[in-house]
Amino acid sequence: QIHLVESGGGTVQAGGSLRLSCVASGRTFQLHAMGWFRQAPGKEREFIARIWWSDTSTVADSVKDRFTISRDIGRDTVHLQMNTLKPEDTAVYYCVANTYGSEEYWGQGIQVTVSS
């Protein structure tokens, strides 16, 4: 079992930046990839970014010019750097972890609010 804790959310004005972090604990030796999704009120969950332990990463076209995903040296934490934030980026952001055994775990989610 893997437990995920997100941090770094909050409220920022349009044009500002935030960095989200997600720390994994538990059976982290099974980790194959970690990433981020977001869900705005009344909308479906949207894929944002994912990074594999091979260091290959994918970022959604809608945000790839502004968002960057990275993994720290300890291999148990991922970050999402969000620049030039827009009001439409307002959502609950969820960290996700994928294992080599094809299991998927989710964090509780953190609120990001971008004011106009």
Side-chain angles (χ1 to χ4, degrees):
Q1 189 172 6
I2 294 174
H3 181 61
L4 304 175
V5 178
E6 304 106 328
S7 63
T11 301
V12 65
Q13 288 188 314
S17 299
L18 286 173
R19 190 176 83 149
L20 304 182
S21 298
C22 179
V23 179
S25 61
R27 299 185 180 274
T28 57
F29 64 90
Q30 298 187 63
L31 283 172
H32 177 54
M34 293 178 66
W36 296 90
F37 285 73
R38 70 185 183 187
Q39 187 165 22
K43 298 181 180 179
E44 294 185 346
R45 186 183 64 180
E46 176 188 14
F47 168 77
I48 298 299
R50 177 176 279 113
I51 186 167
W52 285 263
W53 262 217
S54 63
D55 288 329
T56 299
S57 64
T58 301
V59 181
D61 288 342
S62 60
V63 299
K64 67 179 181 180
D65 59 328
R66 299 182 294 119
F67 292 9
T68 303
I69 189 168
S70 62
R71 175 175 59 85
D72 73 3
I73 297 174
R75 295 194 171 203
D76 60 356
T77 303
V78 294
H79 308 281
L80 184 69
Q81 179 66 44
M82 305 184 293
N83 298 324
T84 318
L85 284 162
K86 304 174 181 180
E88 49 264 46
D89 294 318
T90 296
V92 176
Y93 284 70
Y94 295 92
C95 179
V96 63
N98 302 98
T99 71
Y100 289 102
S102 300
E103 296 175 306
E104 191 169 74
Y105 298 89
W106 293 87
Q108 295 185 56
I110 50 172
Q111 180 69 45
V112 171
T113 301
V114 184
S115 63
S116 59

